[in-house]
Amino acid sequence: GIPYVFALMAVLAESIGSVGLIVGFCTRVCAFGIGTTIAVAALMVHVQNGFFMNWFGTQAGEGF
């Protein structure tokens, strides 16, 4: 359900960004791209169930 442009940006951030971090080229920009991709992925997966354990049974899912 992700538009093609955003999926392409995520793939490029993960692949070119990791190579950039290994080589040491534009490390802050590469780290920002990878961090943003991971943050969006975590939000898309965990926003419906929450981010924390369901200790008291009040949430629909288990979170992490």
Side-chain angles (χ1 to χ4, degrees), residues 43-54:
L43 283 173
M44 287 182 67
V45 170
H46 292 288
V47 76
Q48 66 244 8
N49 292 329
F51 286 95
F52 304 105
M53 293 293 294
N54 189 9

Side-chain angles (χ1 to χ4, degrees), residues 2-12:
I2 300 172
Y4 176 75
V5 174
F6 294 132
L8 181 65
M9 288 171 50
V11 168
L12 291 176

Side-chain angles (χ1 to χ4, degrees), residues 4-23:
Y4 176 75
V5 174
F6 294 132
L8 181 65
M9 288 171 50
V11 168
L12 291 176
E14 289 289 325
S15 60
I16 295 174
S18 62
V19 171
L21 284 176
I22 291 170
V23 174

Side-chain angles (χ1 to χ4, degrees), residues 23-56:
V23 174
F25 179 71
C26 292
T27 54
R28 291 183 183 184
V29 175
C30 294
F32 179 75
I34 292 172
T36 303
T37 304
I38 296 300
V40 169
L43 283 173
M44 287 182 67
V45 170
H46 292 288
V47 76
Q48 66 244 8
N49 292 329
F51 286 95
F52 304 105
M53 293 293 294
N54 189 9
W55 294 102
F56 303 109

